[in-house]
Amino acid sequence: MTALKAGEIDRFLAKPPAAGGAVLIYGPDTGLVSERASALVTKASEGDDDPFNLAKIDASEIVSDPNRLIDEALTVPLFGGRRIIWIKDAGGKNLSPAVTPLLKLDDNPSLVVVEAGDLKKGTGLRKLFESDRRAVAVPCYADTGRDIDTLIDQETRDAELSISREARAALHSLLGADRMASRGELKKLCLYALGKGRIESDDVEAIIGDASAFEMSELIDSAAMGNLETLDHGLERLDAQGSNASVIAGQALKHFQWLHRMRADVDRGIQPQAIVDGQRPPVFFKRKTAIARQIQIWSSEDLSKATERLHEAMKVSRLNAGLGAPVLSEALLTLARVAKSRSARRR
């Protein structure tokens, strides 16, 4: 079994297995799942001009005919080369009857790539792949700050653009929930700034701000500042859009962990505004006042309890998508009520 760690994934995608094998690409960031599956298949197909060697199959077709997967994998290419079987949309579908005999093959000649969504540990496809020594599991979680920086650098470099520090900070507050969506927004931003030579914060606000800010930054800020009306409206919008609760919970958890680290500096006597001004990457200028206010509202003890509550919400939403939205909503509303109460006391 090979369950790849974050630092190993890019190397694996750049140098996929030369022979056959089975790879599961899964996680809550569906855009990143799709991007990595596409990158793996493209790299593995290099130098093979026979289009019939790549078979794209929807998982529902495999469910209705479990024998098809092993038949496809054992098919000998007419003009040589290696078969690549790309199974799409495997999340929530029972592929175990089809995958189990495939993993038992002593000499699988084809590369089978299974693209799935968020999978519970120890069950279904994830259990099959993670317990088989010849299989590879590639997790795809929401982008970290470093991942977002890398993504920004890639897209701006390709467009031959530079980017200001404030614009980069703004992007950090708006991107990261879904890799494909983030890349799409960056491409749109670069196209907008083409010919200017440099991306400024005004460009970010004009192209990305209206579409994305509310979904993450404003929602989380409203919880952290006790703005119940804004939070309630935001939760309704996210629910209507079918947003992934585990991704939002993860972003909220990262935000409150960040507040906790800054609050520790406040407890050492440093002024909140000075702490916010010194953050790297820098805080988007339009959020600085709100962040400074948040670390004044929340005590270290309250932030510890908040992170525990959000960690539990993220765990539940990953294990049971159906419970994710109500559990996350209740957690954020509880935090907002705490913030409102603490804010009233500190006036």
Side-chain angles (χ1 to χ4, degrees):
M1 178 272 288
T2 305
L4 298 184
K5 294 180 172 60
E8 302 171 327
I9 293 174
D10 286 340
R11 291 194 297 271
F12 175 78
L13 297 178
K15 192 175 181 180
V23 181
L24 172 67
I25 304 180
Y26 73 95
D29 189 335
T30 55
L32 184 55
V33 169
S34 180
E35 181 173 294
R36 283 176 170 168
S38 180
L40 177 61
V41 170
T42 299
K43 188 66 178 180
S45 302
E46 279 186 353
D48 190 342
D49 298 326
D50 187 352
F52 293 104
N53 282 354
L54 172 60
K56 293 183 181 179
I57 308 172
D58 190 271
S60 59
E61 297 179 41
I62 301 296
V63 172
S64 62
D65 182 10
N67 292 325
R68 182 178 174 185
L69 178 56
I70 199 164
D71 288 342
E72 292 278 1
L74 294 176
T75 297
V76 178
L78 187 60
F79 301 105
R82 173 180 59 168
R83 289 270 289 172
I84 299 176
I85 317 300
W86 186 359
I87 302 174
K88 307 271 289 182
D89 194 25
K93 297 181 176 67
N94 182 19
L95 290 185
S96 297
V99 171
T100 299
L102 175 76
L103 296 179
K104 291 181 178 179
L105 289 176
D106 291 329
D107 187 18
N108 173 19
S110 300
L111 177 63
V112 177
V113 180
V114 181
E115 184 179 323
D118 200 10
L119 302 176
K120 184 178 177 180
K121 186 175 182 179
T123 62
L125 279 179
R126 187 170 171 183
K127 180 180 180 180
L128 281 176
F129 276 78
E130 291 185 345
S131 61
D132 191 288
R133 60 183 177 82
R134 291 166 295 188
V136 177
V138 180
C140 299
Y141 296 111
D143 285 331
T144 63
R146 182 178 296 179
D147 294 328
I148 293 171
D149 274 328
T150 299
L151 197 59
I152 293 170
D153 291 339
Q154 287 174 350
E155 295 301 328
T156 53
R157 183 173 58 248
D158 289 347
E160 299 182 351
L161 293 167
S162 61
I163 183 168
S164 71
R165 189 175 69 173
E166 290 289 355
R168 185 180 290 270
L171 287 172
H172 268 267
S173 68
L174 300 174
L175 304 178
D178 181 281
R179 171 67 66 87
M180 188 173 291
S182 296
R183 192 179 292 279
E185 294 290 347
L186 283 169
K187 287 184 181 296
K188 185 169 62 175
L189 175 63
C190 289
L191 182 62
Y192 176 80
L194 204 61
K196 296 177 62 175
R198 182 180 174 88
I199 297 172
E200 301 291 350
S201 57
D202 287 345
D203 302 322
V204 175
E205 185 174 4
I207 296 302
I208 300 179
D210 289 344
S212 305
F214 191 90
E215 294 189 5
M216 285 295 170
S217 299
E218 192 171 347
L219 180 78
I220 295 169
D221 283 347
S222 63
M225 296 185 71
N227 192 334
L228 287 162
E229 184 177 348
T230 304
L231 175 61
D232 191 51
H233 178 57
L235 289 169
E236 288 178 359
R237 286 182 57 180
L238 290 169
D239 185 55
Q241 294 168 9
S243 300
N244 190 319
S246 68
V247 172
I248 301 169
Q251 292 293 318
L253 176 60
K254 289 192 331 187
H255 179 82
F256 275 81
Q257 288 171 334
W258 177 46
L259 293 180
H260 201 178
R261 291 193 295 272
M262 289 191 288
R263 180 66 209 193
D265 290 334
V266 172
D267 293 341
R268 286 195 289 269
I270 304 175
Q271 290 298 312
Q273 195 61 54
I275 296 168
V276 174
D277 289 341
Q279 292 301 298
R280 294 294 179 272
V283 179
F284 185 35
F285 71 95
K286 288 191 175 181
R287 292 186 74 202
K288 283 186 174 182
T289 300
I291 300 301
R293 178 60 182 155
Q294 289 170 35
I295 57 177
Q296 289 175 295
I297 292 173
W298 289 86
S299 68
S300 291
E301 183 180 357
D302 285 340
L303 286 166
S304 293
K305 294 177 181 178
T307 55
E308 289 175 6
R309 186 70 179 262
L310 288 168
H311 187 274
E312 182 63 24
M314 184 176 68
K315 179 181 177 182
V316 170
S317 59
R318 284 182 175 175
L319 296 177
N320 191 326
L323 291 176
V327 169
L328 173 63
S329 295
E330 179 59 30
L332 291 177
L333 287 167
T334 297
L335 297 185
R337 287 191 285 268
V338 171
K340 187 174 182 178
S341 172
R342 299 296 189 265
S343 181
R345 290 182 188 177
R346 287 173 170 78
R347 286 175 183 170

